[in-house]
mmCIF file of all heavy atoms in Angstrom:
data_model
loop_
_atom_site.group_PDB
_atom_site.id
_atom_site.type_symbol
_atom_site.label_atom_id
_atom_site.label_comp_id
_atom_site.label_asym_id
_atom_site.label_seq_id
_atom_site.Cartn_x
_atom_site.Cartn_y
_atom_site.Cartn_z
ATOM 1 N N GLY A 25 -2.745 10.099 16.457
ATOM 2 C CA GLY A 25 -3.560 10.658 17.557
ATOM 3 C C GLY A 25 -4.629 9.680 17.997
ATOM 4 O O GLY A 25 -5.797 10.052 18.166
ATOM 5 N N ALA A 26 -4.211 8.419 18.207
ATOM 6 C CA ALA A 26 -5.195 7.368 18.521
ATOM 7 C C ALA A 26 -5.338 7.114 20.012
ATOM 8 O O ALA A 26 -6.027 6.177 20.410
ATOM 9 C CB ALA A 26 -4.797 6.074 17.805
ATOM 10 N N THR A 27 -4.701 7.945 20.855
ATOM 11 C CA THR A 27 -4.766 7.679 22.295
ATOM 12 C C THR A 27 -6.025 8.248 22.954
ATOM 13 O O THR A 27 -6.283 7.974 24.125
ATOM 14 C CB THR A 27 -3.534 8.264 23.028
ATOM 15 O OG1 THR A 27 -3.468 9.665 22.734
ATOM 16 C CG2 THR A 27 -2.249 7.578 22.605
ATOM 17 N N SER A 28 -6.792 9.075 22.216
ATOM 18 C CA SER A 28 -8.051 9.561 22.793
ATOM 19 C C SER A 28 -8.950 10.105 21.691
ATOM 20 O O SER A 28 -8.566 10.103 20.512
ATOM 21 C CB SER A 28 -7.793 10.638 23.860
ATOM 22 O OG SER A 28 -7.602 11.898 23.264
ATOM 23 N N GLY A 29 -10.141 10.536 22.083
ATOM 24 C CA GLY A 29 -11.042 11.245 21.170
ATOM 25 C C GLY A 29 -11.316 10.542 19.855
ATOM 26 O O GLY A 29 -11.579 9.339 19.805
ATOM 27 N N PHE A 30 -11.268 11.325 18.765
ATOM 28 C CA PHE A 30 -11.632 10.800 17.434
ATOM 29 C C PHE A 30 -10.749 9.612 17.042
ATOM 30 O O PHE A 30 -11.227 8.636 16.471
ATOM 31 C CB PHE A 30 -11.449 11.878 16.349
ATOM 32 C CG PHE A 30 -12.281 13.117 16.519
ATOM 33 C CD1 PHE A 30 -11.995 14.265 15.776
ATOM 34 C CD2 PHE A 30 -13.357 13.157 17.405
ATOM 35 C CE1 PHE A 30 -12.753 15.423 15.911
ATOM 36 C CE2 PHE A 30 -14.121 14.320 17.552
ATOM 37 C CZ PHE A 30 -13.810 15.453 16.801
ATOM 38 N N ASN A 48 -0.821 5.536 16.417
ATOM 39 C CA ASN A 48 0.180 6.518 16.864
ATOM 40 C C ASN A 48 -0.409 7.451 17.923
ATOM 41 O O ASN A 48 -1.618 7.667 17.996
ATOM 42 C CB ASN A 48 0.670 7.345 15.654
ATOM 43 C CG ASN A 48 1.219 8.689 16.082
ATOM 44 O OD1 ASN A 48 0.512 9.709 16.080
ATOM 45 N ND2 ASN A 48 2.459 8.714 16.492
ATOM 46 N N GLY A 49 0.483 8.018 18.701
ATOM 47 C CA GLY A 49 0.149 8.998 19.740
ATOM 48 C C GLY A 49 1.412 9.100 20.578
ATOM 49 O O GLY A 49 2.290 8.237 20.468
ATOM 50 N N ARG A 50 1.530 10.130 21.398
ATOM 51 C CA ARG A 50 2.750 10.221 22.202
ATOM 52 C C ARG A 50 2.672 9.375 23.457
ATOM 53 O O ARG A 50 3.667 8.927 23.975
ATOM 54 C CB ARG A 50 3.015 11.687 22.582
ATOM 55 C CG ARG A 50 3.422 12.563 21.408
ATOM 56 C CD ARG A 50 3.265 14.027 21.735
ATOM 57 N NE ARG A 50 1.880 14.335 22.104
ATOM 58 C CZ ARG A 50 1.441 15.517 22.494
ATOM 59 N NH1 ARG A 50 2.284 16.518 22.582
ATOM 60 N NH2 ARG A 50 0.160 15.710 22.794
ATOM 61 N N ARG A 51 1.441 9.146 23.976
ATOM 62 C CA ARG A 51 1.304 8.424 25.246
ATOM 63 C C ARG A 51 1.300 6.913 25.005
ATOM 64 O O ARG A 51 0.255 6.306 24.769
ATOM 65 C CB ARG A 51 0.035 8.887 25.964
ATOM 66 C CG ARG A 51 0.180 10.292 26.543
ATOM 67 C CD ARG A 51 -1.120 10.879 27.001
ATOM 68 N NE ARG A 51 -2.011 11.214 25.903
ATOM 69 C CZ ARG A 51 -3.217 11.780 26.065
ATOM 70 N NH1 ARG A 51 -3.655 12.042 27.264
ATOM 71 N NH2 ARG A 51 -3.955 12.065 25.009
ATOM 72 N N PHE A 75 5.092 8.155 18.652
ATOM 73 C CA PHE A 75 6.038 9.225 18.320
ATOM 74 C C PHE A 75 5.289 10.545 18.257
ATOM 75 O O PHE A 75 4.054 10.567 18.194
ATOM 76 C CB PHE A 75 6.793 8.950 17.003
ATOM 77 C CG PHE A 75 5.912 8.824 15.776
ATOM 78 C CD1 PHE A 75 5.423 9.947 15.125
ATOM 79 C CD2 PHE A 75 5.596 7.571 15.264
ATOM 80 C CE1 PHE A 75 4.622 9.831 13.994
ATOM 81 C CE2 PHE A 75 4.792 7.446 14.132
ATOM 82 C CZ PHE A 75 4.312 8.574 13.498
ATOM 83 N N ASP A 76 6.065 11.612 18.288
ATOM 84 C CA ASP A 76 5.499 12.959 18.200
ATOM 85 C C ASP A 76 5.468 13.344 16.717
ATOM 86 O O ASP A 76 6.532 13.420 16.080
ATOM 87 C CB ASP A 76 6.411 13.902 19.012
ATOM 88 C CG ASP A 76 5.904 15.331 19.026
ATOM 89 O OD1 ASP A 76 5.187 15.740 18.089
ATOM 90 O OD2 ASP A 76 6.262 16.058 19.968
ATOM 91 N N VAL A 77 4.285 13.589 16.174
ATOM 92 C CA VAL A 77 4.191 13.866 14.724
ATOM 93 C C VAL A 77 4.943 15.137 14.323
ATOM 94 O O VAL A 77 5.261 15.320 13.147
ATOM 95 C CB VAL A 77 2.718 13.961 14.235
ATOM 96 C CG1 VAL A 77 1.979 12.640 14.408
ATOM 97 C CG2 VAL A 77 1.964 15.109 14.885
ATOM 98 N N ASN A 103 -5.071 12.471 12.061
ATOM 99 C CA ASN A 103 -6.005 13.023 13.045
ATOM 100 C C ASN A 103 -5.309 13.777 14.182
ATOM 101 O O ASN A 103 -5.893 14.689 14.773
ATOM 102 C CB ASN A 103 -6.827 11.849 13.615
ATOM 103 C CG ASN A 103 -7.536 12.204 14.889
ATOM 104 O OD1 ASN A 103 -8.530 12.931 14.877
ATOM 105 N ND2 ASN A 103 -7.028 11.719 16.026
ATOM 106 N N ALA A 104 -4.046 13.443 14.458
ATOM 107 C CA ALA A 104 -3.343 14.066 15.592
ATOM 108 C C ALA A 104 -3.389 15.588 15.475
ATOM 109 O O ALA A 104 -3.121 16.139 14.403
ATOM 110 C CB ALA A 104 -1.891 13.592 15.643
ATOM 111 N N GLY A 105 -3.728 16.239 16.555
ATOM 112 C CA GLY A 105 -3.786 17.699 16.502
ATOM 113 C C GLY A 105 -4.316 18.261 17.795
ATOM 114 O O GLY A 105 -4.773 17.524 18.672
ATOM 115 N N LEU A 106 -4.249 19.563 17.890
ATOM 116 C CA LEU A 106 -4.678 20.213 19.128
ATOM 117 C C LEU A 106 -4.826 21.723 18.941
ATOM 118 O O LEU A 106 -4.268 22.313 18.018
ATOM 119 C CB LEU A 106 -3.673 19.940 20.261
ATOM 120 C CG LEU A 106 -2.344 20.705 20.300
ATOM 121 C CD1 LEU A 106 -1.574 20.343 21.546
ATOM 122 C CD2 LEU A 106 -1.502 20.513 19.065
ATOM 123 N N THR A 127 2.302 20.738 14.943
ATOM 124 C CA THR A 127 1.522 19.491 15.054
ATOM 125 C C THR A 127 0.468 19.411 13.950
ATOM 126 O O THR A 127 0.437 18.432 13.179
ATOM 127 C CB THR A 127 0.807 19.428 16.433
ATOM 128 O OG1 THR A 127 1.757 19.673 17.463
ATOM 129 C CG2 THR A 127 0.146 18.070 16.634
ATOM 130 N N MET A 154 -7.857 15.448 9.213
ATOM 131 C CA MET A 154 -8.780 16.054 10.171
ATOM 132 C C MET A 154 -8.631 17.574 10.159
ATOM 133 O O MET A 154 -7.648 18.120 10.657
ATOM 134 C CB MET A 154 -8.505 15.494 11.579
ATOM 135 C CG MET A 154 -9.567 15.881 12.577
ATOM 136 S SD MET A 154 -11.246 15.416 12.061
ATOM 137 C CE MET A 154 -11.110 13.621 12.104
ATOM 138 N N GLY A 155 -9.597 18.222 9.539
ATOM 139 C CA GLY A 155 -9.645 19.689 9.554
ATOM 140 C C GLY A 155 -10.531 20.122 10.699
ATOM 141 O O GLY A 155 -10.523 19.514 11.775
ATOM 142 N N SER A 156 -11.319 21.147 10.474
ATOM 143 C CA SER A 156 -12.232 21.655 11.506
ATOM 144 C C SER A 156 -13.091 22.753 10.885
ATOM 145 O O SER A 156 -12.669 23.407 9.917
ATOM 146 C CB SER A 156 -11.436 22.258 12.663
ATOM 147 O OG SER A 156 -12.292 22.968 13.551
ATOM 148 N N TYR A 169 -4.983 28.657 15.759
ATOM 149 C CA TYR A 169 -5.634 27.343 15.595
ATOM 150 C C TYR A 169 -6.455 27.346 14.301
ATOM 151 O O TYR A 169 -6.356 26.411 13.492
ATOM 152 C CB TYR A 169 -6.526 27.008 16.801
ATOM 153 C CG TYR A 169 -7.238 25.676 16.602
ATOM 154 C CD1 TYR A 169 -6.518 24.484 16.555
ATOM 155 C CD2 TYR A 169 -8.626 25.618 16.412
ATOM 156 C CE1 TYR A 169 -7.155 23.267 16.340
ATOM 157 C CE2 TYR A 169 -9.268 24.404 16.198
ATOM 158 C CZ TYR A 169 -8.528 23.229 16.157
ATOM 159 O OH TYR A 169 -9.162 22.026 15.928
ATOM 160 N N LYS A 173 -5.910 25.016 10.823
ATOM 161 C CA LYS A 173 -6.924 24.143 10.221
ATOM 162 C C LYS A 173 -7.314 24.622 8.812
ATOM 163 O O LYS A 173 -7.692 23.814 7.962
ATOM 164 C CB LYS A 173 -8.145 24.044 11.140
ATOM 165 C CG LYS A 173 -7.868 23.241 12.410
ATOM 166 C CD LYS A 173 -7.445 21.804 12.103
ATOM 167 C CE LYS A 173 -7.265 20.963 13.349
ATOM 168 N NZ LYS A 173 -6.860 19.568 13.051
ATOM 169 N N PRO A 199 -15.059 18.798 11.437
ATOM 170 C CA PRO A 199 -16.078 18.735 12.488
ATOM 171 C C PRO A 199 -16.220 20.053 13.246
ATOM 172 O O PRO A 199 -15.277 20.843 13.341
ATOM 173 C CB PRO A 199 -15.543 17.652 13.449
ATOM 174 C CG PRO A 199 -14.352 17.049 12.791
ATOM 175 C CD PRO A 199 -13.835 18.085 11.833
ATOM 176 N N GLY A 200 -17.418 20.216 13.807
ATOM 177 C CA GLY A 200 -17.651 21.281 14.783
ATOM 178 C C GLY A 200 -17.402 20.718 16.166
ATOM 179 O O GLY A 200 -16.750 19.666 16.313
ATOM 180 N N ALA A 201 -17.951 21.396 17.192
ATOM 181 C CA ALA A 201 -17.667 21.023 18.583
ATOM 182 C C ALA A 201 -17.997 19.564 18.872
ATOM 183 O O ALA A 201 -19.122 19.111 18.642
ATOM 184 C CB ALA A 201 -18.476 21.926 19.507
ATOM 185 N N ALA A 202 -17.021 18.866 19.395
ATOM 186 C CA ALA A 202 -17.191 17.462 19.782
ATOM 187 C C ALA A 202 -16.548 17.277 21.143
ATOM 188 O O ALA A 202 -15.449 17.780 21.386
ATOM 189 C CB ALA A 202 -16.534 16.548 18.758
ATOM 190 N N THR A 204 -14.461 15.678 23.558
ATOM 191 C CA THR A 204 -13.316 14.754 23.678
ATOM 192 C C THR A 204 -12.375 15.384 24.717
ATOM 193 O O THR A 204 -12.816 16.211 25.514
ATOM 194 C CB THR A 204 -12.575 14.648 22.321
ATOM 195 O OG1 THR A 204 -12.109 15.957 21.970
ATOM 196 C CG2 THR A 204 -13.478 14.107 21.211
ATOM 197 N N GLU A 205 -11.095 15.074 24.631
ATOM 198 C CA GLU A 205 -10.140 15.759 25.521
ATOM 199 C C GLU A 205 -9.689 17.092 24.940
ATOM 200 O O GLU A 205 -8.860 17.801 25.513
ATOM 201 C CB GLU A 205 -8.926 14.845 25.783
ATOM 202 C CG GLU A 205 -9.293 13.620 26.586
ATOM 203 C CD GLU A 205 -8.121 12.674 26.843
ATOM 204 O OE1 GLU A 205 -6.966 13.059 26.580
ATOM 205 O OE2 GLU A 205 -8.377 11.554 27.289
ATOM 206 N N PHE A 206 -10.233 17.423 23.750
ATOM 207 C CA PHE A 206 -9.800 18.611 23.002
ATOM 208 C C PHE A 206 -9.830 19.894 23.858
ATOM 209 O O PHE A 206 -8.840 20.634 23.923
ATOM 210 C CB PHE A 206 -10.703 18.765 21.772
ATOM 211 C CG PHE A 206 -10.452 20.009 20.975
ATOM 212 C CD1 PHE A 206 -9.452 20.050 20.017
ATOM 213 C CD2 PHE A 206 -11.225 21.154 21.164
ATOM 214 C CE1 PHE A 206 -9.222 21.202 19.278
ATOM 215 C CE2 PHE A 206 -11.008 22.303 20.432
ATOM 216 C CZ PHE A 206 -9.998 22.330 19.485
ATOM 217 N N VAL A 209 -7.341 20.014 26.743
ATOM 218 C CA VAL A 209 -5.984 20.295 26.246
ATOM 219 C C VAL A 209 -5.880 21.782 25.925
ATOM 220 O O VAL A 209 -4.924 22.458 26.304
ATOM 221 C CB VAL A 209 -5.662 19.425 25.007
ATOM 222 C CG1 VAL A 209 -4.363 19.866 24.344
ATOM 223 C CG2 VAL A 209 -5.596 17.954 25.390
HETATM 224 P P1 NDP B 25 -8.150 14.731 21.794
HETATM 225 O O1 NDP B 25 -7.346 15.702 22.605
HETATM 226 O O2 NDP B 25 -9.093 13.844 22.493
HETATM 227 O O3 NDP B 25 -7.154 13.839 20.906
HETATM 228 C C1 NDP B 25 -6.041 14.389 20.279
HETATM 229 C C2 NDP B 25 -5.112 13.268 19.860
HETATM 230 O O4 NDP B 25 -3.997 13.849 19.157
HETATM 231 C C3 NDP B 25 -4.563 12.500 21.027
HETATM 232 O O5 NDP B 25 -4.541 11.126 20.722
HETATM 233 C C4 NDP B 25 -3.138 13.022 21.169
HETATM 234 O O6 NDP B 25 -2.297 11.997 21.647
HETATM 235 C C5 NDP B 25 -2.812 13.311 19.706
HETATM 236 N N1 NDP B 25 -1.704 14.243 19.546
HETATM 237 C C6 NDP B 25 -1.638 15.553 19.901
HETATM 238 N N2 NDP B 25 -0.435 16.055 19.633
HETATM 239 C C7 NDP B 25 0.292 15.044 19.096
HETATM 240 C C8 NDP B 25 1.615 14.926 18.615
HETATM 241 N N3 NDP B 25 2.456 15.972 18.640
HETATM 242 N N4 NDP B 25 2.045 13.735 18.121
HETATM 243 C C9 NDP B 25 1.205 12.667 18.097
HETATM 244 N N5 NDP B 25 -0.061 12.716 18.539
HETATM 245 C C10 NDP B 25 -0.514 13.885 19.043
HETATM 246 O O7 NDP B 25 -8.908 15.633 20.724
HETATM 247 P P2 NDP B 25 -9.855 15.231 19.470
HETATM 248 O O8 NDP B 25 -9.995 13.782 19.329
HETATM 249 O O9 NDP B 25 -11.059 16.066 19.587
HETATM 250 O O10 NDP B 25 -8.973 15.839 18.296
HETATM 251 C C11 NDP B 25 -8.540 15.095 17.184
HETATM 252 C C12 NDP B 25 -8.402 16.019 16.011
HETATM 253 O O11 NDP B 25 -9.673 16.567 15.694
HETATM 254 C C13 NDP B 25 -7.466 17.210 16.227
HETATM 255 O O12 NDP B 25 -6.754 17.418 15.029
HETATM 256 C C14 NDP B 25 -8.432 18.372 16.477
HETATM 257 O O13 NDP B 25 -7.872 19.603 16.120
HETATM 258 C C15 NDP B 25 -9.574 17.984 15.572
HETATM 259 N N6 NDP B 25 -10.887 18.557 15.864
HETATM 260 C C16 NDP B 25 -11.464 18.428 17.101
HETATM 261 C C17 NDP B 25 -12.725 18.956 17.334
HETATM 262 C C18 NDP B 25 -13.381 18.892 18.665
HETATM 263 O O14 NDP B 25 -14.270 19.717 18.944
HETATM 264 N N7 NDP B 25 -13.051 17.937 19.517
HETATM 265 C C19 NDP B 25 -13.480 19.604 16.250
HETATM 266 C C20 NDP B 25 -12.766 19.710 15.018
HETATM 267 C C21 NDP B 25 -11.536 19.173 14.826
HETATM 268 P P3 NDP B 25 -1.062 12.154 22.665
HETATM 269 O O15 NDP B 25 -1.393 13.287 23.583
HETATM 270 O O16 NDP B 25 -0.983 10.816 23.327
HETATM 271 O O17 NDP B 25 0.096 12.433 21.779
#
Side-chain angles (χ1 to χ4, degrees):
T27 56
S28 82
F30 299 166
N48 156 265
R50 291 163 302 177
R51 287 168 290 182
F75 61 80
D76 182 334
V77 297
N103 164 74
L106 77 176
T127 309
M154 190 55 66
S156 169
Y169 178 66
K173 289 300 184 180
T204 60
E205 293 179 11
F206 175 84
V209 170

